[in-house]
Amino acid sequence: MSDTDQDATGEKRKRSKFPDFVPPTKIAYSDRQTGPTLHLRRCTLTQLSSDGRVVRDYSFDKEEVSLGAMSDNDVVVQDQTASRYHAKIVQEDSGYALVDLRSTNGTFVNKVRIREAFLTPGSTIAVGQTAFRFNAKEEEVAIVPSDSDQCGDIIGANAQMRQLYSIIEKIAPTATTVVIEGETGTGKEVVAQSIHKLSPRSKGPIIIFDCGAVPPNLIESELFGHEKGSFTGAVMTRQGLFEMADGGTLFLDELGELPIDLQPKLLRVLENREVRRVGASKSTKIDVRIIAATNRNLEQEVKAGNFRQDLFYRLSVVRVRLPALRERTDDIALLINHFLENQRYNIAPDGSRRARGISPAALQLLMSYNWPGNVRELVNVIERSVSFCETGIIEPHDLPEHMRDARPSPTPYQPPAADPDSSVGSGMSLASEPPVPSTELVSGDITFKDAKEKWVSAFERDYIVSLLRRHDGNISHAARESDIDRKYFRKLMKKYDIEASVGKE
């Protein structure tokens, strides 16, 4: 389709403007009390009988919806006039398009046969002799932290990470453009890889391009390709990364480093889904999902004139932030255990592990460190420590010197003293001193994983109880102070059989 296309009603319109469509999938960040909300774009198909009665309803938030006679289609059309793979509905950033897959008897929109057409709410689609009514809507979904401590290749049980997992699981199946924000070394590329693996594009390529690692005069050729002889040194025609990523995902790392004179060209590709090689006279249509990452504050870059405002708004459909490692030090033990189990540097020639674990003293030093290099720095520290480790357990003397001399940082959470005149739940009490692991948890008769789960459970239970005491049983106030979604706060109360027995909700 060109920039200006004709829809099934014969009306010409710009591809980038869809006045009848619901907004694309996006995340809205409101106040800290309610947390982020996902506005999810969803399409519905209503199968109609010959006399116009409703036969069945379908609802999808996927990037593509296939229709046909074969059983592996999303919508199976039991009609002898339907082809095996008859048509598909494609979710684009600004709307939905219906594409005929070279069917024998054709695909129709509002009784007009089409090869490819944009859909508006209320359109009637005919596949063979089966009719469907198309609609689209926006669904508001509260982000509740996941119960898992892993999503794709991302590791972490911290509340911020589990909230991120829920967002990824919702947006991965869509075609939504994603911008990942976070400090250097937080794992933005790992997040991009995980979104790709969980998407319908997982069988396609994921191409990674670091905007800050290529000389500015070569970036255009790298991204869009070039024709032979288009400039000095162009001795052969070359595909750009957009074309190489066709059918898959293009990850633009360090997007804030992209020169401002190239930003309009990137904006044009995002809007038209077409690229033109340097020196070419024709554009090539592409089917690519864009995921970008930056360690800069793009809003400040826009104000400073270093980043185009229109490109910023075009990219900022879904923006997710990766917390720094110092904000989730409770994940350090989990990350270390993962590295020791999976990284090659910990495998001896005989196949055994060089280091089996880390001592409590060494772990405490790592948890007290500020981690300016984030997870990337932690990976390097563990690799170094494994090479120095002689006992099979990483000890403080195996760590870098600057970490051994570091002063412990303040404990992020200290439980308040118990109020002897109040009670929450069924006779539970909270100690006035920070909890200390019981003999059972450090006895050696219990695995690290089981001990950690029990320790975390005890912490969660005491933390919820203390907050409810402080707010006289008011769940809304307690959830607001803890920066926990109210639904998830109730879920934790149910998990540990806690009732708000003081005051009213």
Side-chain angles (χ1 to χ4, degrees), residues 66-67 73 119 140-141 197 201 207 213 289 303 317 461:
S66 58
L67 302 90
N73 284 286
L119 293 171
E140 204 171 290
V141 181
K197 287 181 180 180
R201 298 173 176 267
I207 304 296
R289 181 184 194 166
K303 292 178 181 178
V317 180
R461 185 180 186 182

Side-chain angles (χ1 to χ4, degrees), residues 11-230:
E11 178 187 357
K12 288 188 177 181
R13 63 172 70 190
K14 279 282 187 181
R15 287 192 70 183
S16 59
K17 297 180 180 178
F18 289 81
D20 298 327
F21 289 157
V22 295
T25 296
K26 62 181 181 179
I27 293 178
Y29 291 90
S30 52
D31 54 55
R32 293 183 60 180
Q33 172 186 348
T34 57
T37 301
L38 181 67
H39 295 260
L40 190 66
R41 185 170 61 184
R42 185 182 295 273
C43 79
T44 60
L45 289 175
T46 302
Q47 185 176 341
L48 305 172
S49 64
S50 56
D51 57 359
R53 290 182 295 105
V54 174
V55 176
R56 183 176 176 182
D57 288 319
Y58 300 88
S59 181
F60 301 98
D61 58 10
K62 299 172 59 177
E63 183 178 357
E64 287 189 3
V65 178
S66 58
L67 302 90
M70 294 296 287
S71 60
D72 57 346
N73 284 286
D74 297 307
V75 178
V76 179
V77 182
Q78 297 177 339
D79 184 338
Q80 292 183 352
T81 61
S83 299
R84 291 181 299 173
Y85 300 99
H86 197 104
K88 65 180 180 179
I89 297 173
V90 181
Q91 181 184 146
E92 299 185 347
D93 283 339
S94 49
Y96 288 89
L98 178 66
V99 182
D100 180 77
L101 300 178
R102 300 184 181 275
S103 63
T104 303
N105 295 311
T107 302
F108 295 78
V109 177
N110 297 337
K111 299 182 179 180
V112 177
R113 184 166 182 170
I114 59 95
R115 176 61 60 85
E116 189 169 359
F118 297 118
L119 293 171
T120 56
S123 299
T124 301
I125 300 170
V127 176
Q129 296 180 355
T130 303
F132 299 90
R133 184 169 57 244
F134 168 84
N135 266 300
K137 62 180 181 179
E138 180 185 8
E139 186 175 298
E140 204 171 290
V141 181
I143 302 298
V144 178
S146 169
D147 292 330
S148 176
D149 60 5
Q150 184 170 356
C151 178
D153 296 327
I154 315 169
I155 304 295
N158 180 272
Q160 294 183 73
M161 297 302 293
R162 290 187 287 110
Q163 187 178 76
L164 176 65
Y165 300 163
S166 294
I167 294 173
I168 290 174
E169 289 165 1
K170 290 290 185 182
I171 65 174
T174 71
T176 305
T177 300
V178 182
V179 174
I180 307 166
E181 300 173 329
E183 296 179 9
T184 299
T186 49
K188 297 186 288 293
E189 184 177 326
V190 177
V191 173
Q193 295 271 10
S194 298
I195 293 174
H196 175 75
K197 287 181 180 180
L198 296 173
S199 76
R201 298 173 176 267
S202 57
K203 294 181 180 179
I206 177 168
I207 304 296
I208 299 170
F209 178 69
D210 188 341
C211 299
V214 177
N217 61 319
L218 296 178
I219 291 180
E220 184 176 6
S221 174
E222 285 288 319
L223 287 175
F224 309 127
H226 62 255
E227 295 292 333
K228 181 179 178 180
S230 57

Side-chain angles (χ1 to χ4, degrees), residues 441 446-455:
L441 296 183
I446 184 172
T447 65
F448 171 81
K449 182 178 180 181
D450 291 339
K452 184 192 172 196
E453 287 177 357
K454 289 186 177 182
W455 177 245

Side-chain angles (χ1 to χ4, degrees), residues 193 196 201-208 241-251 287-289:
Q193 295 271 10
H196 175 75
R201 298 173 176 267
S202 57
K203 294 181 180 179
I206 177 168
I207 304 296
I208 299 170
L241 297 181
F242 273 100
E243 291 183 69
M244 294 171 63
D246 191 39
T249 302
L250 177 61
F251 175 52
D287 174 24
V288 175
R289 181 184 194 166

Side-chain angles (χ1 to χ4, degrees), residues 201-487:
R201 298 173 176 267
S202 57
K203 294 181 180 179
I206 177 168
I207 304 296
I208 299 170
F209 178 69
D210 188 341
C211 299
V214 177
N217 61 319
L218 296 178
I219 291 180
E220 184 176 6
S221 174
E222 285 288 319
L223 287 175
F224 309 127
H226 62 255
E227 295 292 333
K228 181 179 178 180
S230 57
F231 55 87
T232 304
V235 296
M236 59 185 295
T237 297
R238 184 177 183 276
Q239 270 191 332
L241 297 181
F242 273 100
E243 291 183 69
M244 294 171 63
D246 191 39
T249 302
L250 177 61
F251 175 52
L252 300 175
D253 199 8
E254 302 304 342
L255 180 68
E257 306 294 333
L258 188 69
I260 195 162
D261 60 318
L262 287 178
Q263 293 175 20
K265 297 182 180 181
L266 176 59
L267 177 63
R268 198 173 304 121
V269 172
L270 291 173
E271 289 186 338
N272 300 331
R273 297 294 167 174
E274 293 178 346
V275 294
R276 180 179 295 179
R277 295 176 183 172
V278 177
S281 58
K282 293 183 180 180
S283 297
T284 302
K285 186 176 178 182
I286 55 167
D287 174 24
V288 175
R289 181 184 194 166
I290 305 297
I291 300 178
T294 180
N295 61 2
R296 295 190 180 188
N297 186 321
L298 291 184
E299 290 176 280
Q300 292 181 2
E301 293 296 306
V302 169
K303 292 178 181 178
N306 299 325
F307 202 85
R308 288 178 62 101
Q309 187 178 48
D310 49 3
L311 179 58
F312 171 73
Y313 287 124
R314 184 62 183 76
L315 287 168
S316 299
V317 180
V318 171
R319 295 165 63 191
V320 295
R321 177 186 173 274
L322 267 178
L325 185 57
R326 62 181 171 275
E327 299 174 34
R328 58 182 189 110
T329 53
D330 49 332
D331 280 338
I332 289 178
L334 186 65
L335 288 165
I336 292 172
N337 189 52
H338 176 76
F339 298 153
L340 294 181
E341 287 184 355
N342 296 279
Q343 295 295 331
R344 282 186 167 184
Y345 57 72
N346 195 37
I347 305 300
D350 60 359
S352 62
R353 287 197 288 173
R354 297 179 186 273
R356 302 185 306 276
I358 184 169
S359 71
L363 180 60
Q364 182 58 48
L365 287 173
L366 295 182
M367 293 183 70
S368 302
Y369 183 62
N370 194 45
W371 295 108
N374 293 293
V375 178
R376 183 180 296 145
E377 184 180 7
L378 176 62
V379 173
N380 294 334
V381 167
I382 297 304
E383 182 174 4
R384 176 198 185 279
S385 301
V386 166
S387 64
F388 280 87
C389 180
E390 297 178 350
T391 64
I393 299 296
I394 297 174
E395 298 289 350
H397 60 263
D398 298 320
L399 302 177
E401 184 177 354
H402 67 281
M403 291 186 176
R404 297 198 299 268
D405 297 338
R407 293 183 179 182
S409 59
T411 305
Y413 166 71
Q414 292 286 355
D419 182 356
D421 298 326
S422 66
S423 61
V424 178
S426 52
M428 289 182 291
S429 62
L430 183 67
S432 59
E433 295 293 329
V436 177
S438 64
T439 305
E440 175 191 359
L441 296 183
V442 295
S443 64
D445 296 329
I446 184 172
T447 65
F448 171 81
K449 182 178 180 181
D450 291 339
K452 184 192 172 196
E453 287 177 357
K454 289 186 177 182
W455 177 245
V456 170
S457 294
F459 162 76
E460 287 181 341
R461 185 180 186 182
D462 289 346
Y463 184 72
I464 297 300
V465 170
S466 67
L467 282 171
L468 288 171
R469 281 205 184 107
R470 192 179 310 160
H471 295 283
D472 295 328
N474 190 309
I475 297 174
S476 296
H477 291 176
R480 185 182 303 118
E481 180 178 329
S482 64
D483 198 16
I484 295 176
D485 182 87
R486 191 172 183 275
K487 291 182 180 178

